[in-house]
Amino acid sequence: MDKIKMTTPLVEMDGDEMTRVIWKMIKDELLCPYIDLKTEYYDLGLPYRDETNDQVTIDSANAIKKYGVGVKCATITPNAARVKEYNLKQMWKSPNGTIRAILDGTVFRAPIIVKGIDPYVPHWKKPITIARHAYGDIYKATEMKIEGPGKAELVFTDANGNETRELIHDFKEPGIIQGVHNLDASISGFARSCFNFALDTKQDLWFAAKDTISKKYDHNFKDIFADIYENEYKAKFEEAGITYFYTLIDDVVARVIKSEGGFIWACKNYDGDVMSDLLATAFGSLGMMTSVLVSPDGKYEYEAAHGTVQRHYYKYLDGQPTSTNSVATIFAWTGALKKRGELDGIAELSAFAEKLEKATINTIEGGTMTGDLALISKLPNVNKVNTLEFIQAIRAELEKLI
Ligand code: NAP
Ligand code: MG
């Protein structure tokens, strides 16, 4: 069989620890034998980030801006222990944070559903995708402890020095206050990323806030979403047969639980932080959670939602067998390859990616899986395999499909 040709390079961002090991296995076993893989390679492994003073991270994000699609391996976000372990020049910022800031993107997370790994909510038949706004609110708050009586006010001073004041509270006793903000441009970018992703994946979009209580702050989110929808997306949504709807955050949680899945749930920053962990847990396993960063102007970066699986890596270095789940990383590659195929009009490439996804799911549904899934699978005949054996089992399934 001739290898599938690509025309535009994928931006490939290598990473750290166990996921770096898996990255190479996936390329060697599942991609390079079938595709004439064309990538522009960026090594985001911590040693090279340190060597380049993190310039490589910035370069890789700019490459995604240029080519439109990237695929990223999990990377270490250094803390004090990592600075020591890797003898770093400094505690470099989170690569995901740097890339997100450059692309101004929104992260969409969705679980991969397979038979035998049942969600805690039994009638969830399709994935629920969470979109989290990644700017502002309590994550950029200013807070104060109030020790005794006094007046707390919100004061805005405009460029001409004019002040606008609102009383927060006339304190008679100790308490606390908090100042939060957001930006129309950031909310608009978030809204556009959500509308684009809904069109892209042909799923309904739900957005919720608390505008009944927060009549200016949360209401502004609601209004910006509504304006952009009416003016830019309504016709496209109708044509695609999907809907956008806004409701209150407490109403939406009830609807989500009663739903059968298959939609995108857009959340404000804090709601997304909490609800994405809730959904990841409710759907079963971190190793099955995919993640894609989408910019308002339609650039895509695919990755697994989990980290570098450090504990498994130390076992691997020690020569012990590991059983690390590669599914989310495989789906990062297939997501990126499908998107590249779609943008470049290479149907074969997209079809191959679909088959690789199917082969992965067939492998697990056939009973062969890694330890994390073996623990929770309801299948009667579970065959727990090690990291490489799992990828080789997927290859055997893939051979049957092509
Ligand atoms: P983690 O790598 O996600 O792993 C946490 C635990 O979850 C693992 O020890 C393992 O449990 C389980 N797990 C996660 N992914 C798995 C997989 N694919 N297969 C099997 N089990 C899996 O999170 P962490 O240990 O907190 O973080 C490690 C490093 O990753 C940190 O340096 C952090 O900065 C980085 N990180 C990067 C990203 C990213 O690049 N997107 C995201 C999060 C964290 P058991 O040990 O019980 O088997
Ligand atoms: Mg969190």
Side-chain angles (χ1 to χ4, degrees):
M1 192 192 93
D2 280 348
K3 288 192 192 182
I4 300 165
K5 295 265 183 304
M6 295 174 64
T7 49
T8 315
L10 255 185
V11 179
E12 174 185 353
M13 303 144 105
D14 208 342
D16 289 298
E17 300 194 311
M18 202 59 207
T19 41
R20 189 179 179 98
V21 175
I22 286 176
W23 194 259
K24 184 164 185 318
M25 289 178 183
I26 292 172
K27 286 176 67 181
D28 289 348
E29 296 285 332
L30 301 175
L31 303 174
C32 293
Y34 309 99
I35 306 171
D36 209 349
L37 199 64
K38 194 169 175 168
T39 71
E40 194 164 291
Y41 179 86
Y42 292 86
D43 184 0
L44 265 54
L46 190 48
Y48 195 64
R49 271 185 276 150
D50 193 50
E51 196 183 314
T52 61
N53 297 327
D54 211 21
Q55 185 61 38
V56 65
T57 308
I58 295 164
D59 292 347
S60 69
N62 285 324
I64 295 178
K65 274 193 155 171
K66 177 173 168 195
Y67 294 114
V69 188
V71 57
K72 180 180 168 291
C73 180
T75 46
I76 293 169
T77 296
N79 54 17
R82 299 299 201 161
V83 171
K84 226 171 128 196
E85 182 183 354
Y86 285 83
N87 191 22
L88 301 178
K89 294 181 211 159
Q90 67 178 73
M91 202 185 290
W92 304 108
K93 282 194 249 170
S94 146
N96 286 17
T98 302
I99 297 163
R100 197 164 58 214
I102 292 173
L103 293 177
D104 181 26
T106 297
V107 173
F108 296 83
R109 283 182 160 202
I112 299 151
I113 295 188
V114 292
K115 255 186 253 128
I117 314 290
D118 302 332
Y120 284 93
V121 179
H123 50 267
W124 282 353
K125 300 264 179 320
K126 298 179 211 157
I128 297 169
T129 303
I130 281 251
R132 174 182 171 188
H133 185 214
Y135 179 83
D137 304 347
I138 61 163
Y139 301 86
K140 284 221 185 277
T142 305
E143 306 189 324
M144 248 184 231
K145 279 188 87 142
I146 304 301
E147 304 298 346
K151 204 163 64 169
E153 290 178 300
L154 272 181
V155 182
F156 173 74
T157 313
D158 74 14
N160 300 320
N162 303 315
E163 286 184 354
T164 313
R165 285 170 181 270
E166 288 282 345
L167 179 69
I168 297 171
H169 190 69
D170 200 349
F171 282 90
K172 306 278 186 270
E173 59 196 324
I176 40 180
I177 54 176
Q178 181 184 57
V180 297
H181 80 279
N182 222 300
L183 301 171
D184 288 1
S186 174
I187 301 167
S188 303
F190 173 52
R192 289 197 177 89
S193 293
C194 290
F195 290 128
N196 286 340
F197 195 70
L199 283 170
D200 216 44
T201 57
K202 298 236 172 347
Q203 297 184 89
D204 292 343
L205 176 66
W206 300 7
F207 176 51
K210 193 72 180 176
D211 63 290
T212 45
I213 300 296
S214 172
K215 289 187 166 59
K216 289 195 177 123
Y217 197 100
D218 276 25
H219 213 292
N220 192 50
F221 279 82
K222 178 185 175 181
D223 290 345
I224 288 176
F225 266 73
D227 278 356
I228 293 178
Y229 178 67
E230 285 299 323
N231 295 321
E232 299 172 31
Y233 290 94
K234 194 168 182 210
K236 292 181 201 158
F237 267 54
E238 282 168 5
E239 200 188 328
I242 57 174
T243 56
Y244 164 65
F245 97 99
Y246 171 87
T247 186
L248 290 169
I249 185 73
D250 37 351
D251 178 50
V252 90
V253 291
R255 287 173 185 263
V256 165
I257 296 297
K258 286 190 274 183
S259 78
E260 59 168 45
F263 55 89
I264 299 162
W265 178 11
C267 291
K268 287 180 62 201
N269 208 349
Y270 173 80
D271 298 339
D273 187 353
V274 178
M275 295 307 170
S276 62
D277 281 358
L278 180 100
L279 284 197
T281 309
F283 270 107
S285 167
L286 205 51
M288 300 293 278
M289 194 57 104
T290 63
S291 179
V292 53
L293 176 75
V294 183
S295 74
D297 58 345
K299 314 289 185 209
Y300 294 78
E301 182 227 26
Y302 294 84
E303 67 167 339
H306 60 76
T308 58
V309 212
Q310 181 182 18
R311 211 178 59 83
H312 295 208
Y313 182 59
Y314 290 160
K315 276 173 70 180
Y316 167 86
L317 288 182
D318 204 31
Q320 295 179 48
T322 57
S323 184
T324 313
N325 188 341
S326 48
V327 172
T329 308
I330 293 171
F331 274 65
W333 275 100
T334 55
L337 291 168
K338 272 196 276 186
K339 180 53 79 181
R340 201 63 273 166
E342 181 192 317
L343 294 174
D344 296 343
I346 308 173
E348 267 189 293
L349 189 60
S350 304
F352 171 81
E354 298 270 358
K355 281 178 193 154
L356 179 50
E357 289 183 354
K358 183 130 195 17
T360 305
I361 289 169
N362 288 354
T363 303
I364 301 167
E365 294 187 342
T368 299
M369 61 193 81
T370 46
D372 56 321
L373 300 182
L375 275 177
I376 55 174
S377 174
K378 302 269 170 26
L379 294 182
N381 51 339
V382 168
N383 171 28
K384 180 190 153 181
V385 291
N386 72 34
T387 308
L388 181 60
E389 286 165 349
F390 180 63
I391 288 173
Q392 287 168 337
I394 295 172
R395 182 167 179 178
E397 283 295 326
L398 181 62
E399 292 285 345
K400 290 186 208 161
L401 297 175
I402 56 181

